[in-house]
C-alpha cells in the first residue's frame, strides 16, 4: 500500500500526510481538498479491480439478473424508467469523465458495462411482460365455453387431468387461455373416458373459472404472477360432463411419446418406484403421491424429481462415453475422425432429445444449454468446468425466460452449479483432488469425502433460497445426497435406459426388477431421513434485505478469487444473524379473511397455532403453519379454552410485549345486529371478517374486513412491534396484481 502524498506546510518546517492536513487547511482550501475524495475512492477501486484476479464475464450475468430483479422490486413504470435512466447516465458519466489511460480503465469499463447490462435486464423483462402477459378475468364466474385443447397434463395422484385451452371470450370475442382441472370420472360425450381429451381436440363444457390467485399471505407462492407469464387469464374446474365437438388428430409428437413412455414405465415398475421411474424417463411427475413428494422434499432429495442438471448430465455423459468407446473400437474410423468431436455430437443429440422428451422445462433447458457448452469445450480441448460456462447458460435462459429469475427453480439450479464450480476450481479443492501415488482405497476415500463436502456446500448455498421460497429446509440433505446422487446417476438411470432398450427385444423384465429395487432404496432413504428428529427446520418469511445480503455474500464468495473472496462472509454472516432475529408473526390473515392463524406459546418452548377454520384445503393450512414456523397441527379456535366463540364470532385475548390484544373474528357471513357489532368492535383491538363490515364497526387498532383485504391482500402482523406486512406492499403496478396499490 502506497503512503499518502506529502504536502509541505508553510515555512517548509515539516511534511504531513495530505489526508491529515485537510483539517488544518483554511475553509476555502478544505473544500478543494474534500473534492478530491471521490477521485481517491475511484482510484482505490480501480487498483482493487486491477489487482484482483477474477473472471469479469460472470459478473455481467449477475448484473443482467439484477436488472430483472429490480423490475420486479420496483413498483411503477416511472420507477422502471428512472432506474434505466440512472444506469445509462452512470455509464455515460464513466465514458465522459474517466478518459482512457488516466489510471481508471478497469473502473471505467466496469461502470460502463454494468450500467448498460443492468438497464438491458430491466428492458428485457418489461418487454417480456408486455408481450406474453394475459389480463386476468375480473371475478369468479360460471360459464359454458368451447375451446381448443393446447396441452394436457395427467395427474393420476390427484385423480384428475389438467387441460390448458384456448377459448373465445363471450363478451369481447377475444381469444384467451384458461386452465381447468377435469376429474378422471368426468363423462365425456356420454360414455367415453377422459383419455380422448388430447391436444388438438375441440370440446364444450360448463366450467367454474376464477382469476389466478394472488399470494394467500406475504411470502406465499404468487400464482397470479406465474399465470401472467404463462398467458393464463383464468383457472378453474369442469362442472358436469364434457362434449367433444371435434376429435383430436391421431396421437403424434413429443407429448404423445412422453405419455406413452410414462405409461409404459409405470406398467413395468410397480407402486411408488414406478412413479419415480416415470419421472426420470419422461419428466412426468403427475403420478407421484403427496407422501412421497413430502418425503423427498424434507430429506433434501426433491431436486432429483425435477429433470435438471443431474439427469441431463447423466444422459449426455452416457451418450458421450458410449459413442467414444464404440468409435474407438473401429481403428479405420478412429484414425480418420476426431473422436472427441464425434462423441460430443452424440452426447449433444442425446441431451437435446432427452430435454425435448421430458417437456423442455426451464431447468432442463438451462442444464442442456450448459451441457452443450461443456461438450464444445471438450471437443476443443478447453477447460469444461468454468464460471464462464455457467454465466453463458444463465444469460441464455434469462434472454428467453427472464421471469424465471424470481422463481426457485432457476435460483436453486444456478446456485447449486455455481457452488460446485466455485468449490472445485478453488486451490484447496484442486490440491485435495490432485493425482498422487497412493492406494486405490485411499484415493476412493478422498473422492467420497469430496462428494460429501460438495453436498454440504450445495446445501449451505441452497438453504437461504429454500427458506425464502418455502420457509422450510431439510437439515440432513447433505448426508442423504451422498448416497442418493450416486444411486440415481450410476444405477437407477442407466438401468432405466438399459431396460427400455431391452424392451425392444422383449427382454427387459430383469432390468426393470433392478430398477424397482434401486428406487425402493431411494424412497426408503427419503422417508427414513425425513422422519428423523430435527430433519426439517421452519422459518418465518425472510425479508428482501436479508435474502439480498445472502445473495451478495454468496456471489462474492463464488465469483471472486484469492483472499478478497472472504469479504463475502461479512454480508452472509450479517444475513444469517438477521434471519435468526426475524420475529415470528403473531397473527396471519389470509387474502379473503376466511383463514386466520394466531401463534401462541405451548409451554414447552415451542409454538402452536390457533386456526379460525378447519380448512379442508391443505394449501391454506400449510401456508399458515409454514409462515408461523409451527410444526404441529393447528388447534381449532373454538376448541381452545382461552377463546370465547359463538356461532357468528370468536373473541380471543393474547398478550404481547406486556400488552393485551383483543381480537374479534367472524366465523361466517350471518347477519348480526349492527349496534351489537359496533359495541363489540369498540371493545376490540383487531377485527377480522371475510365480508364488508359497517362503518360503525371501529376497532381500536385495525379492521381487516373484505373492504381492506381487497386492497392489501393477506396480512402478516407482528403485534409486539405493531408492524403489519401486506401482500400488496410487494406488488406495485405489475399487470398480475388486481388490488389497490399501497
Amino acid at each position: 500500500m502506497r503512503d499518502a502524498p506529502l504536502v509541505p506546510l508553510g515555512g517548509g518546517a515539516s511534511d504531513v500526510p495530505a489526508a491529515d492536513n485537510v483539517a488544518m487547511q483554511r475553509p476555502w482550501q478544505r473544500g478543494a481538498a474534500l473534492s478530491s475524495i471521490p477521485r481517491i475512492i475511484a482510484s482505490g477501486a480501480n487498483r482493487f479491480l486491477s489487482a484482483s484476479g477474477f473472471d469479469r464475464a460472470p459478473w455481467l450475468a449477475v448484473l443482467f439478473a439484477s436488472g430483472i430483479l429490480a423490475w420486479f422490486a420496483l413498483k411503477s413504470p416511472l420507477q422502471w424508467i428512472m432506474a434505466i435512466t440512472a444506469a445509462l447516465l452512470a455509464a455515460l458519466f464513466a465514458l465522459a469523465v474517466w478518459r482512457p489511460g488516466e489510471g481508471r480503465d478497469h473502473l471505467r469499463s466496469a461502470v460502463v458495462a454494468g450500467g448498460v447490462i443492468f438497464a438491458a435486464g430491466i428492458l428485457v423483462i418489461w418487454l417480456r411482460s408486455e408481450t406474453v402477459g394475459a389480463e386476468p378475468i375480473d371475478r369468479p364466474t360460471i360459464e359454458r365455453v368451447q375451446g381448443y385443447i393446447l396441452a394436457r397434463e395427467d395427474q393420476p395422484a390427484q385423480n384428475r387431468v389438467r387441460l390448458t385451452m384456448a377459448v373465445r371470450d363471450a363478451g369481447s370475442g377475444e381469444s384467451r387461455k384458461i386452465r381447468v382441472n377435469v376429474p378422471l370420472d368426468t363423462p365425456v360425450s356420454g360414455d367415453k373416458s377422459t383419455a380422448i381429451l388430447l391436444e388438438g381436440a375441440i370440446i364444450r363444457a360448463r366450467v367454474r373459472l376464477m382469476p389466478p390467485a394472488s399470494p394467500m399471505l406475504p411470502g406465499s407462492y404468487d400464482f397470479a404472477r406465474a399465470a401472467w407469464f404463462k398467458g393464463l387469464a383464468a383457472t378453474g374446474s369442469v362442472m358436469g360432463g364434457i362434449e367433444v365437438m371435434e376429435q383430436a388428430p391421431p396421437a403424434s409428437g413429443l407429448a404423445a411419446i412422453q405419455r406413452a413412455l410414462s405409461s409404459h414405465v409405470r406398467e413395468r415398475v410397480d407402486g411408488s418406484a414406478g412413479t419415480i421411474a416415470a419421472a426420470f424417463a419422461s419428466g412426468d411427475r403427475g403420478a407421484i403421491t403427496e407422501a412421497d413428494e413430502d418425503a423427498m422434499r424434507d430429506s433434501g432429495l426433491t431436486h432429483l424429481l425435477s429433470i435438471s442438471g443431474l439427469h441431463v448430465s447423466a444422459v449426455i455423459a452416457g451418450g458421450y462415453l458410449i459413442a467414444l468407446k464404440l468409435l474407438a473400437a473401429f481403428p479405420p474410423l478412429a484414425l480418420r475422425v476426431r473422436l472427441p468431436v464425434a462423441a460430443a455430437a452424440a452426447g449433444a443429440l442425446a441431451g437435446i432429445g432427452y430435454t425435448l422428451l421430458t417437456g423442455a422445462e426451464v431447468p432442463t433447458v438451462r442444464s442442456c444449454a450448459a451441457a452443450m457448452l461443456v461438450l464444445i469445450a471438450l471437443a476443443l480441448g478447453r477447460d469444461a468446468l468454468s464460471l464462464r460456462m455457467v454465466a453463458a447458460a444463465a444469460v441464455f435462459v434469462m434472454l428467453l425466460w427472464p421471469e424465471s429469475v424470481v422463481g426457485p427453480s432457476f435460483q436453486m439450479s444456478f446456485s447449486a452449479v455455481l457452488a460446485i464450480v466455485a468449490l472445485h476450481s478453488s486451490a484447496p479443492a484442486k490440491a485435495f483432488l490432485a493425482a498422487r501415488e497412493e492406494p486405490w482405497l485411499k484415493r476412493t476415500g478422498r473422492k467420497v469425502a469430496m462428494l460429501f463436502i460438495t453436498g454440504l456446500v450445495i446445501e449451505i448455498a441452497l438453504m437461504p433460497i429454500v427458506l425464502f421460497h418455502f420457509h422450510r429446509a431439510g437439515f440432513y440433505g447433505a448426508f442423504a445426497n451422498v448416497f442418493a446422487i450416486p444411486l440415481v446417476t450410476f444405477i437407477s438411470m442407466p438401468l432405466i435406459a438399459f431396460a427400455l432398450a431391452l424392451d425392444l427385444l422383449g427382454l427387459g423384465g430383469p432390468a426393470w426388477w433392478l430398477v424397482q429395487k434401486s428406487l425402493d432404496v431411494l424412497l426408503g432413504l427419503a422417508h427414513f431421513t425425513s422422519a428423523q428428529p430435527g430433519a426439517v427446520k421452519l422459518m418465518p418469511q425472510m425479508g428482501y434485505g436479508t435474502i439480498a445480503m445472502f445473495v451478495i455474500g454468496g456471489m462474492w464468495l463464488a465469483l471472486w478469487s484469492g483472499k478478497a473472496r472472504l469479504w463475502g462472509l461479512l454480508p452472509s454472516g450479517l444475513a444469517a444473524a438477521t434471519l435468526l432475529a426475524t420475529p415470528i408473526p403473531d397473527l396471519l390473515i389470509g387474502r379473503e379473511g376466511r383463514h386466520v392463524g394466531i401463534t401462541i406459546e405451548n409451554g414447552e418452548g415451542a409454538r402452536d397455532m390457533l386456526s379460525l377454520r378447519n380448512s379442508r384445503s391443505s394449501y391454506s393450512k400449510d401456508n399458515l403453519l409454514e409462515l408461523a414456523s409451527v410444526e404441529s397441527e393447528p388447534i381449532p379456535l373454538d376448541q381452545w379454552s382461552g377463546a370465547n366463540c359463538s356461532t357468528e364470532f370468536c373473541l380471543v385475548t393474547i398478550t404481547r410485549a406486556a400488552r393485551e390484544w383483543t381480537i374479534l373474528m367472524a366465523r361466517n357471513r350471518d347477519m348480526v345486529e349492527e349496534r351489537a357489532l359496533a359495541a363489540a368492535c369498540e371493545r376490540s383491538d383487531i377485527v377480522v371478517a371475510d365480508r364488508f363490515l359497517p362503518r360503525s364497526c371501529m376497532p381500536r387498532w385495525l379492521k381487516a374486513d373484505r373492504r381492506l383485504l381487497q386492497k392489501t391482500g393477506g396480512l402478516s402482523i407482528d403485534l409486539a412491534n405493531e408492524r403489519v406486512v401486506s401482500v400488496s406492499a410487494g406488488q406495485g403496478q405489475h399487470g398480475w396484481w388486481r388490488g389497490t396499490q399501497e
Side-chain angles (χ1 to χ4, degrees), residues 192-247:
K192 296 180 182 178
S193 72
T194 56
I196 67 171
L197 302 177
L198 300 174
E199 292 87 349
I202 298 177
I203 63 173
R204 181 182 295 166
R206 189 165 177 258
V207 296
R208 179 190 292 111
L209 296 177
M210 298 185 66
S214 60
M216 176 184 171
L217 294 162
S220 297
Y221 175 62
D222 194 344
F223 177 68
R225 184 179 65 195
W228 173 268
F229 286 103
K230 290 179 180 178
L232 293 175
T235 61
S237 56
V238 169
M239 303 174 64
I242 295 177
E243 183 181 358
V244 178
M245 309 302 297
E246 184 177 322
Q247 293 277 359

Side-chain angles (χ1 to χ4, degrees), residues 340-401:
V341 175
L349 290 175
I352 294 172
Y354 185 65
T355 298
L356 295 174
L357 185 62
T358 54
E361 299 291 337
V362 172
T364 319
V365 174
R366 186 273 308 164
S367 303
C368 185
M372 295 302 105
L373 296 175
V374 171
L375 289 174
I376 293 172
L378 289 173
L380 298 177
R382 303 287 296 274
D383 182 13
L385 194 66
S386 69
L387 294 172
R388 286 199 171 203
M389 176 268 293
V390 180
V395 171
F396 174 79
V397 172
M398 288 188 289
L399 286 173
L400 295 179
W401 302 283

Side-chain angles (χ1 to χ4, degrees), residues 510-548:
W512 287 120
W513 182 83
L514 292 174
V515 170
Q516 173 95 48
K517 297 304 178 184
S518 69
L519 294 179
D520 283 342
V521 171
L522 176 67
L523 285 168
L525 175 64
H527 284 276
F528 173 79
T529 304
S530 63
Q532 299 309 302
V536 179
K537 178 62 177 176
L538 299 181
M539 293 293 291
Q541 174 60 26
M542 186 187 305
Y544 289 109
T546 304
I547 189 63

